């Protein structure tokens, strides 16, 4: 069997996929943000990153983490502000296939902890520790990484959503997803709270439980 485990890959941004980690994942619809905005955002991020690496401060890792968080905040706010791009996920017939695909692999590749689906993007919290061996090790011959799993989720949900919307053959998702691994319990709780409050801050509801496409694992 071909080894499907790749711990790190690079597209527009570097991704480090620690085996068995819990990941906060964000993916958006194709064409949901202007290319010039994304180019400027990436350039700004890379310039600040180079500066931190050149200075090499004692708290370098924290500086890079805060920089990534600032990048994501600007990225997320742009998605909420965007009025001209596609908003297919506002339609239940497009959002429901995504829910079904996220749940399809729950218990197989990951433990689905939470998700929220907004009009042009979604967030999900996926715990890949269920793929680890009993001793905490990883079998690299069978481990299925986040990148591969997101390809399965997005591929099937795109096909089904496009079919429901009568737009088969058109791109649905942007190829790349944004992901961050959860560092500790405090970070995990913050990620869950972020997911719960996202539809509230977007003005879709007054309480997260009123939003049909927000879910958090009980307990």
């Amino acid at each position: 069997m071909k080894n499907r485990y790749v711990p790190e890959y690079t597209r527009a941004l570097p991704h480090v996929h620690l085996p068995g980690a819990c990941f906060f994942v964000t993916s958006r619809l194709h064409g949901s943000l202007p290319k010039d905005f994304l180019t400027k955002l990436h350039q700004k991020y890379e310039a600040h990153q180079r500066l931190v690496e050149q200075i090499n401060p004692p708290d370098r890792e924290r500086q890079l983490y805060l920089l990534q968080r600032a990048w994501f905040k600007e990225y997320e706010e742009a998605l909420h502000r965007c009025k001209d791009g596609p908003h297919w996920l506002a339609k239940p017939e497009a959002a429901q296939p995504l829910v079904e695909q996220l749940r399809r692999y729950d218990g197989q590749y990951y433990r689905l902890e939470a998700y929220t689906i907004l009009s042009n993007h979604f967030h999900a919290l996926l715990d890949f520790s269920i793929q680890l061996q009993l001793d905490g090790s990883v079998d690299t011959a069978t481990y299925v990484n986040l990148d591969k799993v997101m390809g399965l989720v997005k591929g099937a949900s795109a096909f089904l959503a496009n079919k429901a919307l009568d737009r088969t053959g058109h791109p649905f998702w942007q190829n790349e997803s944004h992901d961050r691994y959860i560092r500790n319990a405090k970070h995990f709780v913050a990620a869950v709270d972020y997911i719960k409050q996202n539809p509230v801050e977007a003005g879709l509801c007054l309480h997260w439980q009123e939003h049909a496409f927000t879910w958090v694992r009980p307990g």
Side-chain angles (χ1 to χ4, degrees), residues 44-61:
K44 176 181 175 182
Y45 172 85
E46 290 171 350
H48 288 171
Q49 183 183 40
R50 286 194 298 270
L51 182 60
V52 171
E53 291 174 344
Q54 288 172 3
I55 297 174
N56 195 26
D59 61 344
R60 174 181 176 276
E61 293 303 317

Side-chain angles (χ1 to χ4, degrees), residues 43-89:
Q43 289 174 344
K44 176 181 175 182
Y45 172 85
E46 290 171 350
H48 288 171
Q49 183 183 40
R50 286 194 298 270
L51 182 60
V52 171
E53 291 174 344
Q54 288 172 3
I55 297 174
N56 195 26
D59 61 344
R60 174 181 176 276
E61 293 303 317
R62 175 168 174 75
Q63 291 295 324
L64 291 175
Y65 168 73
L66 292 175
L67 181 58
Q68 184 188 51
R69 192 168 70 174
W71 179 95
F72 182 77
K73 181 180 180 181
E74 193 169 348
Y75 176 87
E76 173 84 351
E77 289 175 348
L79 283 169
H80 285 306
R81 290 195 309 268
C82 190
K83 303 299 182 182
D84 298 329
H87 291 271
W88 301 116
L89 293 172

Side-chain angles (χ1 to χ4, degrees), residues 186-199:
K186 182 179 179 180
H187 193 190
F188 179 89
V189 171
V192 172
D193 286 344
Y194 185 91
I195 286 174
K196 289 164 61 176
Q197 293 306 312
N198 212 235

Side-chain angles (χ1 to χ4, degrees), residues 84-210:
D84 298 329
H87 291 271
W88 301 116
L89 293 172
K91 299 177 180 291
E93 60 268 34
Q96 188 58 38
L98 174 58
V99 172
E100 293 169 358
Q101 293 307 311
L102 286 171
R103 292 188 178 278
R104 178 179 180 180
Y105 301 108
D106 182 20
Q108 179 181 0
Y109 297 135
Y110 53 73
R111 174 182 163 98
L112 179 60
E113 299 290 354
Y115 64 77
T116 188
I117 304 173
L118 286 84
S119 65
N120 60 1
H121 68 290
F122 77 90
H123 304 293
L125 192 59
L126 311 175
D127 183 358
F128 276 65
S129 65
I130 68 167
Q131 288 196 61
L132 297 180
Q133 305 297 304
L134 292 177
D135 62 358
S137 63
V138 57
D139 183 349
T140 59
T142 60
Y143 188 88
V144 183
N145 204 14
L146 175 63
D147 189 36
K148 173 69 173 179
V149 173
M150 288 308 298
L152 296 173
V153 169
K154 291 168 66 175
S157 61
F159 173 80
L160 294 170
N162 269 341
K163 184 177 180 181
L165 296 170
D166 194 25
R167 58 186 307 273
T168 299
H170 294 280
F172 191 80
W173 295 113
Q174 197 70 27
N175 287 334
E176 186 172 20
S177 298
H178 176 78
D179 51 77
R180 289 181 291 174
Y181 72 90
I182 301 300
R183 292 165 171 77
N184 50 44
K186 182 179 179 180
H187 193 190
F188 179 89
V189 171
V192 172
D193 286 344
Y194 185 91
I195 286 174
K196 289 164 61 176
Q197 293 306 312
N198 212 235
V200 177
E201 293 182 0
L204 300 179
C205 55
L206 295 177
H207 190 278
W208 70 269
Q209 290 179 318
E210 299 171 355

